[in-house]
Each structure stands twice: as C-alpha cells, then as structure tokens.
Coordinates of all heavy atoms in Angstrom, one line a residue:
M1 N 1.0 -41.3 -54.4 CA 1.8 -40.5 -53.5 C 1.5 -40.9 -52.1 O 0.3 -41.0 -51.7 CB 1.5 -39.0 -53.8 CG 2.3 -38.1 -52.9 SD 2.1 -36.4 -53.4 CE 2.9 -35.6 -52.1
T2 N 2.5 -41.1 -51.2 CA 2.4 -41.5 -49.8 C 2.3 -40.2 -49.0 O 3.1 -39.3 -49.1 CB 3.6 -42.3 -49.4 OG1 3.7 -43.4 -50.2 CG2 3.4 -42.8 -48.0
E3 N 1.2 -40.2 -48.1 CA 1.1 -39.1 -47.2 C 2.2 -39.2 -46.1 O 2.6 -40.3 -45.7 CB -0.3 -39.1 -46.5 CG -1.4 -38.9 -47.4 CD -1.4 -37.5 -48.0 OE1 -0.8 -36.5 -47.5 OE2 -2.0 -37.3 -49.1
T4 N 2.7 -38.1 -45.6 CA 3.8 -38.1 -44.7 C 3.4 -37.6 -43.3 O 4.2 -37.0 -42.5 CB 5.0 -37.3 -45.2 OG1 4.5 -35.9 -45.4 CG2 5.6 -37.9 -46.4
F5 N 2.1 -37.8 -42.9 CA 1.7 -37.3 -41.6 C 1.1 -38.5 -40.8 O 0.8 -39.5 -41.4 CB 0.7 -36.2 -41.7 CG -0.5 -36.5 -42.4 CD1 -1.6 -37.2 -41.7 CD2 -0.7 -36.3 -43.7 CE1 -2.8 -37.5 -42.4 CE2 -1.9 -36.6 -44.4 CZ -2.9 -37.2 -43.7
V6 N 1.0 -38.3 -39.5 CA 0.4 -39.3 -38.6 C -0.7 -38.6 -37.9 O -0.9 -37.4 -38.0 CB 1.4 -39.9 -37.6 CG1 2.5 -40.7 -38.3 CG2 2.0 -38.8 -36.7
D7 N -1.6 -39.3 -37.2 CA -2.7 -38.7 -36.6 C -2.2 -38.0 -35.3 O -1.1 -38.2 -34.8 CB -3.9 -39.6 -36.4 CG -3.6 -40.7 -35.3 OD1 -3.0 -40.4 -34.3 OD2 -4.1 -41.8 -35.5
G8 N -3.1 -37.2 -34.7 CA -2.8 -36.4 -33.5 C -2.4 -37.2 -32.3 O -1.8 -36.6 -31.3
N9 N -2.7 -38.5 -32.2 CA -2.2 -39.3 -31.1 C -0.7 -39.2 -30.9 O -0.2 -39.4 -29.8 CB -2.7 -40.7 -31.2 CG -4.2 -40.9 -31.0 OD1 -4.7 -40.4 -30.0 ND2 -4.9 -41.5 -32.0
A10 N 0.0 -38.9 -31.9 CA 1.5 -38.9 -31.8 C 1.9 -37.7 -31.0 O 3.1 -37.6 -30.6 CB 2.1 -38.8 -33.2
L11 N 1.0 -36.8 -30.7 CA 1.3 -35.6 -29.9 C 1.4 -35.9 -28.4 O 1.9 -35.1 -27.6 CB 0.3 -34.5 -30.1 CG 0.3 -33.8 -31.4 CD1 -1.0 -32.9 -31.5 CD2 1.5 -32.8 -31.5
A12 N 0.9 -37.1 -28.0 CA 0.7 -37.4 -26.6 C 1.9 -37.2 -25.7 O 1.9 -36.4 -24.7 CB 0.2 -38.8 -26.4
G13 N 3.1 -37.7 -26.1 CA 4.3 -37.5 -25.3 C 4.7 -36.1 -25.2 O 5.1 -35.6 -24.2
S14 N 4.8 -35.4 -26.3 CA 5.2 -34.0 -26.4 C 4.3 -33.1 -25.5 O 4.8 -32.3 -24.8 CB 5.3 -33.5 -27.8 OG 6.3 -34.2 -28.5
L15 N 3.0 -33.3 -25.7 CA 2.1 -32.4 -24.9 C 2.1 -32.7 -23.4 O 2.0 -31.8 -22.6 CB 0.6 -32.6 -25.4 CG 0.4 -32.0 -26.8 CD1 -1.0 -32.4 -27.3 CD2 0.6 -30.5 -26.9
R16 N 2.3 -34.0 -23.1 CA 2.5 -34.3 -21.7 C 3.7 -33.7 -21.1 O 3.6 -33.1 -20.0 CB 2.5 -35.9 -21.5 CG 2.5 -36.3 -20.0 CD 2.6 -37.8 -19.8 NE 1.8 -38.6 -20.7 CZ 2.3 -39.4 -21.7 NH1 3.6 -39.6 -21.8 NH2 1.5 -40.1 -22.5
E17 N 4.7 -33.6 -21.8 CA 6.0 -33.0 -21.3 C 5.8 -31.5 -21.2 O 6.3 -30.9 -20.2 CB 7.1 -33.3 -22.3 CG 8.5 -32.8 -21.9 CD 9.5 -33.2 -22.9 OE1 9.8 -34.4 -23.0 OE2 10.1 -32.4 -23.5
V18 N 5.1 -30.9 -22.1 CA 4.9 -29.4 -22.1 C 3.9 -29.0 -21.0 O 4.1 -28.0 -20.2 CB 4.4 -28.9 -23.4 CG1 3.9 -27.5 -23.4 CG2 5.5 -29.1 -24.5
F19 N 2.8 -29.7 -20.8 CA 1.7 -29.3 -19.9 C 1.8 -29.8 -18.6 O 1.0 -29.5 -17.7 CB 0.3 -29.6 -20.5 CG 0.1 -28.7 -21.7 CD1 0.1 -29.1 -23.0 CD2 -0.3 -27.3 -21.5 CE1 -0.2 -28.3 -24.0 CE2 -0.5 -26.5 -22.5 CZ -0.5 -26.9 -23.8
A20 N 2.8 -30.6 -18.2 CA 3.0 -31.2 -16.9 C 4.0 -30.4 -16.0 O 4.4 -30.8 -15.0 CB 3.5 -32.6 -17.0
V21 N 4.3 -29.2 -16.5 CA 5.3 -28.3 -15.7 C 4.5 -27.1 -15.2 O 3.4 -26.8 -15.6 CB 6.4 -27.9 -16.6 CG1 7.2 -29.1 -17.2 CG2 5.9 -27.0 -17.8
D22 N 5.2 -26.4 -14.3 CA 4.6 -25.2 -13.8 C 4.7 -24.1 -14.8 O 5.8 -23.6 -15.2 CB 5.4 -24.8 -12.5 CG 5.0 -23.4 -12.0 OD1 4.0 -22.9 -12.5 OD2 5.6 -23.0 -11.0
L23 N 3.5 -23.8 -15.4 CA 3.5 -22.8 -16.5 C 3.8 -21.4 -16.2 O 3.9 -20.5 -17.0 CB 2.2 -23.0 -17.3 CG 2.1 -24.2 -18.1 CD1 0.8 -24.3 -18.9 CD2 3.3 -24.4 -19.1
T24 N 3.8 -21.1 -14.8 CA 4.1 -19.7 -14.5 C 5.6 -19.4 -14.9 O 6.0 -18.3 -15.0 CB 3.9 -19.4 -13.0 OG1 4.7 -20.4 -12.2 CG2 2.5 -19.6 -12.6
E25 N 6.4 -20.5 -15.0 CA 7.8 -20.3 -15.5 C 7.9 -20.1 -17.0 O 8.9 -19.8 -17.5 CB 8.6 -21.5 -15.1 CG 8.7 -21.6 -13.5 CD 9.6 -22.9 -13.2 OE1 10.3 -23.4 -14.0 OE2 9.4 -23.3 -12.0
A26 N 6.8 -20.4 -17.7 CA 6.8 -20.3 -19.2 C 6.9 -18.8 -19.6 O 6.5 -17.9 -18.8 CB 5.5 -20.9 -19.7
V27 N 7.5 -18.6 -20.7 CA 7.6 -17.2 -21.2 C 6.7 -17.1 -22.5 O 6.7 -18.0 -23.3 CB 9.1 -17.0 -21.6 CG1 9.2 -15.7 -22.3 CG2 10.0 -17.1 -20.4
G28 N 5.9 -16.1 -22.4 CA 5.0 -15.9 -23.6 C 5.4 -14.6 -24.4 O 6.0 -13.7 -23.8
V29 N 5.0 -14.6 -25.6 CA 5.2 -13.5 -26.5 C 3.8 -13.0 -26.9 O 3.0 -13.7 -27.4 CB 6.0 -13.8 -27.8 CG1 6.1 -12.6 -28.7 CG2 7.3 -14.3 -27.4
C30 N 3.5 -11.7 -26.6 CA 2.2 -11.1 -26.9 C 2.1 -11.0 -28.4 O 2.9 -10.5 -29.1 CB 2.1 -9.7 -26.2 SG 0.7 -8.8 -26.6
A31 N 0.9 -11.5 -28.9 CA 0.6 -11.3 -30.3 C 0.3 -9.9 -30.7 O 0.4 -9.6 -31.9 CB -0.6 -12.3 -30.7
G32 N 0.0 -9.1 -29.7 CA -0.4 -7.7 -30.0 C 0.8 -6.8 -30.1 O 1.0 -6.1 -31.2
C33 N 1.7 -6.8 -29.1 CA 2.8 -5.8 -29.1 C 4.2 -6.5 -29.2 O 5.2 -5.8 -29.3 CB 2.7 -5.0 -27.8 SG 3.1 -5.8 -26.3
G34 N 4.2 -7.8 -29.1 CA 5.5 -8.5 -29.2 C 6.3 -8.6 -27.9 O 7.4 -9.1 -27.9
R35 N 5.7 -8.0 -26.8 CA 6.4 -8.1 -25.5 C 6.6 -9.6 -25.1 O 5.7 -10.4 -25.3 CB 5.6 -7.4 -24.4 CG 6.4 -7.3 -23.1 CD 5.5 -6.7 -22.0 NE 6.3 -6.5 -20.8 CZ 6.5 -7.5 -19.9 NH1 6.1 -8.7 -20.2 NH2 7.3 -7.3 -18.8
R36 N 7.8 -9.9 -24.6 CA 8.2 -11.2 -24.2 C 8.4 -11.2 -22.7 O 9.1 -10.3 -22.2 CB 9.4 -11.6 -24.9 CG 9.9 -13.0 -24.7 CD 11.2 -13.3 -25.5 NE 11.6 -14.6 -25.4 CZ 12.3 -15.2 -24.4 NH1 12.7 -14.4 -23.4 NH2 12.6 -16.5 -24.4
G37 N 7.8 -12.1 -22.0 CA 8.0 -12.2 -20.5 C 7.3 -13.4 -19.9 O 6.5 -14.0 -20.5
P38 N 7.7 -13.7 -18.7 CA 7.1 -14.8 -18.0 C 5.6 -14.6 -17.7 O 5.2 -13.5 -17.5 CB 7.8 -14.9 -16.6 CG 8.9 -13.9 -16.7 CD 8.6 -13.0 -17.8
L39 N 4.8 -15.7 -17.7 CA 3.4 -15.7 -17.5 C 3.1 -15.2 -16.1 O 2.1 -14.6 -15.9 CB 2.8 -17.0 -17.7 CG 2.8 -17.6 -19.1 CD1 1.9 -18.9 -19.2 CD2 2.3 -16.6 -20.1
A40 N 4.1 -15.3 -15.2 CA 3.9 -14.9 -13.8 C 3.8 -13.4 -13.7 O 3.3 -12.8 -12.7 CB 5.0 -15.4 -12.9
E41 N 4.2 -12.7 -14.8 CA 4.2 -11.2 -14.8 C 2.8 -10.7 -15.3 O 2.6 -9.4 -15.3 CB 5.3 -10.6 -15.6 CG 6.7 -10.8 -14.9 CD 7.8 -10.2 -15.8 OE1 7.5 -9.7 -16.9 OE2 8.9 -10.2 -15.3
L42 N 2.0 -11.5 -15.8 CA 0.7 -11.0 -16.4 C -0.1 -10.3 -15.4 O -0.1 -10.6 -14.2 CB -0.1 -12.2 -17.0 CG 0.5 -13.0 -18.1 CD1 -0.5 -14.1 -18.5 CD2 0.8 -12.1 -19.3
R43 N -1.0 -9.4 -15.9 CA -2.0 -8.9 -15.0 C -3.2 -9.9 -15.0 O -3.8 -10.0 -16.1 CB -2.5 -7.5 -15.5 CG -1.5 -6.4 -15.4 CD -2.1 -5.1 -15.8 NE -1.1 -4.1 -15.8 CZ -0.9 -3.3 -16.9 NH1 -1.7 -3.3 -17.9 NH2 0.1 -2.4 -16.8
L44 N -3.5 -10.5 -13.9 CA -4.5 -11.5 -13.9 C -5.8 -11.0 -13.2 O -5.7 -10.5 -12.1 CB -3.9 -12.7 -13.1 CG -4.8 -14.0 -13.2 CD1 -4.8 -14.5 -14.6 CD2 -4.3 -15.0 -12.2
Y45 N -6.8 -11.2 -14.0 CA -8.1 -10.8 -13.5 C -8.9 -12.1 -13.2 O -9.2 -12.9 -14.0 CB -8.9 -10.0 -14.6 CG -8.2 -8.7 -14.9 CD1 -7.1 -8.6 -15.8 CD2 -8.5 -7.5 -14.2 CE1 -6.5 -7.4 -16.0 CE2 -7.9 -6.3 -14.4 CZ -6.9 -6.3 -15.3 OH -6.2 -5.1 -15.6
A46 N -9.2 -12.2 -11.9 CA -9.9 -13.4 -11.4 C -11.3 -13.3 -11.1 O -12.0 -14.2 -10.7 CB -9.1 -14.0 -10.2
R47 N -11.9 -12.1 -11.2 CA -13.3 -11.8 -10.9 C -14.1 -11.9 -12.1 O -15.0 -11.1 -12.4 CB -13.5 -10.5 -10.2 CG -12.9 -10.4 -8.8 CD -13.2 -9.1 -8.2 NE -12.6 -9.1 -6.8 CZ -12.9 -8.1 -6.0 NH1 -13.6 -7.1 -6.3 NH2 -12.3 -8.1 -4.8
A48 N -13.9 -12.9 -12.9 CA -14.7 -13.2 -14.1 C -15.1 -14.6 -14.0 O -14.8 -15.3 -13.0 CB -13.8 -13.0 -15.3
P49 N -15.9 -15.1 -15.0 CA -16.3 -16.5 -14.9 C -15.0 -17.4 -15.0 O -15.1 -18.6 -14.6 CB -17.1 -16.7 -16.2 CG -17.7 -15.3 -16.5 CD -16.6 -14.4 -16.0
G50 N -13.9 -16.9 -15.4 CA -12.7 -17.7 -15.4 C -11.5 -16.7 -15.1 O -11.7 -15.7 -14.5
L51 N -10.3 -17.1 -15.5 CA -9.2 -16.3 -15.3 C -8.8 -15.6 -16.6 O -8.8 -16.2 -17.6 CB -8.0 -17.1 -14.8 CG -8.2 -17.8 -13.5 CD1 -7.0 -18.7 -13.2 CD2 -8.3 -16.9 -12.3
V52 N -8.5 -14.3 -16.5 CA -8.1 -13.6 -17.7 C -6.7 -13.0 -17.5 O -6.6 -12.2 -16.5 CB -9.1 -12.5 -18.1 CG1 -8.6 -11.7 -19.3 CG2 -10.5 -13.1 -18.4
G53 N -5.8 -13.3 -18.3 CA -4.4 -12.8 -18.1 C -4.1 -11.7 -19.2 O -4.3 -12.0 -20.4
R54 N -3.7 -10.5 -18.8 CA -3.5 -9.4 -19.8 C -2.0 -9.0 -19.8 O -1.3 -9.1 -18.8 CB -4.4 -8.2 -19.4 CG -5.8 -8.4 -19.7 CD -6.6 -7.1 -19.4 NE -8.0 -7.2 -19.8 CZ -8.4 -6.9 -21.0 NH1 -7.6 -6.4 -21.9 NH2 -9.7 -7.1 -21.3
C55 N -1.6 -8.6 -21.0 CA -0.2 -8.1 -21.2 C 0.1 -6.9 -20.4 O -0.8 -5.9 -20.4 CB 0.0 -7.9 -22.7 SG 1.6 -7.2 -23.2
V56 N 1.2 -6.8 -19.8 CA 1.6 -5.6 -19.0 C 2.1 -4.5 -20.0 O 2.1 -3.3 -19.6 CB 2.7 -5.9 -18.0 CG1 2.1 -6.8 -16.9 CG2 3.9 -6.4 -18.6
G57 N 2.3 -4.8 -21.2 CA 2.8 -3.9 -22.2 C 1.7 -3.1 -22.9 O 1.7 -1.9 -23.1
C58 N 0.6 -3.9 -23.4 CA -0.4 -3.3 -24.2 C -1.8 -3.6 -23.6 O -2.8 -3.1 -24.2 CB -0.3 -3.8 -25.6 SG -0.8 -5.5 -25.8
D59 N -1.9 -4.3 -22.6 CA -3.2 -4.6 -21.9 C -4.0 -5.6 -22.8 O -5.2 -5.8 -22.5 CB -4.0 -3.4 -21.6 CG -5.0 -3.6 -20.5 OD1 -4.7 -4.4 -19.5 OD2 -6.1 -3.1 -20.5
G60 N -3.5 -6.2 -23.8 CA -4.2 -7.2 -24.6 C -4.4 -8.5 -23.8 O -3.7 -8.8 -22.9
V61 N -5.5 -9.1 -24.1 CA -5.8 -10.4 -23.5 C -4.9 -11.5 -24.1 O -4.9 -11.8 -25.3 CB -7.3 -10.8 -23.7 CG1 -7.5 -12.2 -23.1 CG2 -8.2 -9.8 -23.0
L62 N -4.1 -12.1 -23.2 CA -3.1 -13.1 -23.7 C -3.7 -14.5 -23.5 O -3.5 -15.4 -24.3 CB -1.8 -13.0 -23.0 CG -1.0 -11.7 -23.2 CD1 0.3 -11.8 -22.6 CD2 -1.0 -11.3 -24.6
L63 N -4.4 -14.7 -22.3 CA -5.0 -16.0 -22.1 C -6.2 -16.0 -21.3 O -6.5 -15.0 -20.5 CB -3.9 -16.9 -21.4 CG -3.4 -16.6 -20.0 CD1 -4.3 -17.1 -19.0 CD2 -2.0 -17.1 -19.9
R64 N -7.1 -17.0 -21.5 CA -8.3 -17.1 -20.7 C -8.4 -18.6 -20.2 O -8.1 -19.5 -21.1 CB -9.5 -16.8 -21.5 CG -9.7 -15.3 -21.8 CD -10.8 -15.1 -22.7 NE -10.3 -14.9 -24.0 CZ -10.7 -14.0 -24.9 NH1 -11.7 -13.2 -24.6 NH2 -10.2 -13.9 -26.0
I65 N -8.8 -18.8 -19.0 CA -8.9 -20.2 -18.5 C -10.3 -20.2 -17.8 O -10.5 -19.5 -16.8 CB -7.8 -20.6 -17.6 CG1 -6.4 -20.5 -18.3 CG2 -8.0 -22.0 -17.1 CD1 -5.2 -20.7 -17.4
V66 N -11.1 -21.2 -18.2 CA -12.4 -21.4 -17.5 C -12.4 -22.9 -17.1 O -12.1 -23.7 -17.9 CB -13.5 -21.1 -18.4 CG1 -14.9 -21.4 -17.7 CG2 -13.5 -19.6 -18.8
A67 N -12.8 -23.1 -15.9 CA -12.8 -24.5 -15.4 C -14.2 -24.9 -14.9 O -14.9 -24.0 -14.4 CB -11.8 -24.7 -14.2
G68 N -14.6 -26.1 -15.2 CA -15.9 -26.5 -14.7 C -16.2 -27.9 -15.2 O -15.7 -28.4 -16.2
S69 N -17.1 -28.6 -14.4 CA -17.5 -30.0 -14.8 C -16.4 -30.9 -15.2 O -16.5 -31.6 -16.2 CB -18.6 -29.9 -15.9 OG -19.6 -29.1 -15.5
G70 N -15.3 -30.9 -14.4 CA -14.3 -31.9 -14.7 C -13.4 -31.6 -15.9 O -12.7 -32.5 -16.4
R71 N -13.4 -30.4 -16.4 CA -12.6 -30.0 -17.5 C -12.3 -28.5 -17.5 O -13.0 -27.8 -16.8 CB -13.2 -30.5 -18.9 CG -14.5 -29.8 -19.2 CD -15.2 -30.3 -20.4 NE -15.6 -31.7 -20.2 CZ -15.8 -32.5 -21.2 NH1 -15.8 -32.1 -22.4 NH2 -16.2 -33.8 -20.9
S72 N -11.3 -28.2 -18.3 CA -11.0 -26.7 -18.4 C -10.9 -26.3 -19.9 O -10.6 -27.2 -20.7 CB -9.6 -26.5 -17.8 OG -9.7 -26.7 -16.4
W73 N -11.2 -25.1 -20.1 CA -11.1 -24.5 -21.5 C -10.0 -23.5 -21.4 O -10.0 -22.6 -20.6 CB -12.4 -23.9 -21.9 CG -13.5 -24.9 -22.1 CD1 -13.8 -25.4 -23.3 CD2 -14.3 -25.4 -21.2 NE1 -14.9 -26.3 -23.2 CE2 -15.2 -26.3 -21.8 CE3 -14.5 -25.3 -19.8 CZ2 -16.2 -27.1 -21.2 CZ3 -15.4 -26.1 -19.1 CH2 -16.3 -26.9 -19.8
V74 N -9.0 -23.6 -22.3 CA -7.9 -22.7 -22.3 C -7.8 -21.9 -23.7 O -7.8 -22.6 -24.7 CB -6.5 -23.5 -22.1 CG1 -5.4 -22.5 -22.1 CG2 -6.6 -24.2 -20.8
D75 N -7.8 -20.6 -23.6 CA -7.7 -19.8 -24.9 C -6.4 -19.1 -24.8 O -6.2 -18.2 -23.9 CB -8.9 -18.9 -24.9 CG -8.9 -17.9 -26.1 OD1 -7.8 -17.9 -26.8 OD2 -9.8 -17.2 -26.2
L76 N -5.5 -19.4 -25.7 CA -4.2 -18.8 -25.7 C -4.0 -17.9 -27.0 O -2.8 -17.6 -27.3 CB -3.1 -19.8 -25.7 CG -3.1 -20.8 -24.5 CD1 -2.0 -21.9 -24.6 CD2 -2.8 -20.0 -23.2
R77 N -5.0 -17.5 -27.6 CA -4.9 -16.9 -28.9 C -4.2 -15.5 -28.8 O -3.7 -15.0 -29.8 CB -6.3 -16.7 -29.6 CG -7.1 -15.6 -29.0 CD -8.4 -15.5 -29.8 NE -9.3 -16.4 -29.1 CZ -10.6 -16.5 -29.4 NH1 -11.1 -15.7 -30.3 NH2 -11.4 -17.3 -28.7
G78 N -4.1 -14.9 -27.6 CA -3.3 -13.7 -27.5 C -1.8 -13.8 -27.4 O -1.1 -12.9 -27.4
L79 N -1.4 -15.1 -27.4 CA 0.0 -15.4 -27.4 C 0.5 -15.8 -28.7 O -0.1 -16.7 -29.3 CB 0.4 -16.5 -26.3 CG 0.2 -16.1 -24.9 CD1 0.3 -17.4 -24.0 CD2 1.2 -15.1 -24.4
S80 N 1.5 -15.2 -29.3 CA 2.1 -15.7 -30.5 C 3.0 -16.9 -30.3 O 3.1 -17.8 -31.2 CB 2.8 -14.6 -31.4 OG 3.9 -14.1 -30.6
V81 N 3.6 -17.0 -29.1 CA 4.5 -18.0 -28.8 C 4.4 -18.3 -27.3 O 4.3 -17.3 -26.5 CB 6.0 -17.7 -29.1 CG1 7.0 -18.8 -28.7 CG2 6.2 -17.5 -30.6
L82 N 4.5 -19.6 -26.9 CA 4.6 -19.9 -25.5 C 5.8 -20.8 -25.3 O 5.9 -21.9 -25.9 CB 3.4 -20.6 -25.0 CG 3.3 -21.0 -23.5 CD1 3.4 -19.8 -22.7 CD2 2.1 -21.8 -23.2
E83 N 6.8 -20.3 -24.6 CA 8.1 -21.0 -24.4 C 8.0 -21.7 -23.1 O 7.9 -21.0 -22.1 CB 9.3 -20.1 -24.5 CG 10.6 -20.7 -24.2 CD 11.7 -19.6 -24.2 OE1 11.6 -18.6 -25.0 OE2 12.6 -19.7 -23.4
V84 N 8.0 -23.1 -23.0 CA 7.8 -23.8 -21.8 C 9.1 -24.6 -21.5 O 9.6 -25.3 -22.3 CB 6.7 -24.8 -22.0 CG1 6.5 -25.6 -20.8 CG2 5.4 -24.1 -22.4
P85 N 9.6 -24.3 -20.3 CA 10.8 -25.1 -19.8 C 10.4 -26.5 -19.6 O 9.4 -26.8 -19.0 CB 11.3 -24.4 -18.5 CG 10.0 -23.7 -18.0 CD 9.2 -23.4 -19.2
T86 N 11.2 -27.5 -20.1 CA 10.9 -28.9 -20.0 C 12.1 -29.5 -19.2 O 13.2 -29.0 -19.1 CB 10.8 -29.6 -21.3 OG1 11.9 -29.4 -22.1 CG2 9.5 -29.1 -22.0
V87 N 11.8 -30.7 -18.6 CA 12.8 -31.4 -17.9 C 13.7 -32.1 -18.8 O 13.2 -32.7 -19.8 CB 12.1 -32.4 -16.9 CG1 13.2 -33.2 -16.1 CG2 11.2 -31.7 -15.9
G88 N 15.0 -32.1 -18.6 CA 15.9 -32.9 -19.4 C 16.6 -32.2 -20.4 O 17.0 -31.3 -20.8
Ligands
ZN1 ZN1 1.2 -6.8 -25.4

C-alpha cells in the first residue's frame, strides 16, 4: 500500500501566505463560546511576560504570544478557527 502524504515541508508556501499578512484583520472563532470576530477586537493584556488576548464574549484566553531570543512562541489553542485574509 502506498502512503498518500508528504512531509511538513510542503506547508511552506501556504504558511508563508497565511502568516505574512496583518493578522489583526484575521477573524477568530472562540473555542469556548463560539463567538466570531476580528482579532483586533480582543481584550489584550500586555502586562504579562507576553501578550494575552481574551474573548470579549466569555473572557476565555484565545491566544498568547511570547517573544524572546530571536523567536516567538504562539499559543492559539483558545481559537477553534482562525480565518486569515490572503492576497489574490
Ligand atoms: Zn468566547
């Protein structure tokens, strides 16, 4: 039986297209309450070791971003979907 998958390197083009845009225009769906809205509407807490974005509907944590030493860590587990506008 022949496997029908390729390795993760095949994601390069798609991920570059998704993450090279202004993500404040992206629309997220809260995994907790299902609220759908632009990331620009999140309640953002910046007085933490990183940035914490909370849902305006249920106050659940939708995303966390920590930057340091030439890299960033992004936790999006509070979003069930992230809809990103792409060029083209
Ligand atoms: Zn919510």
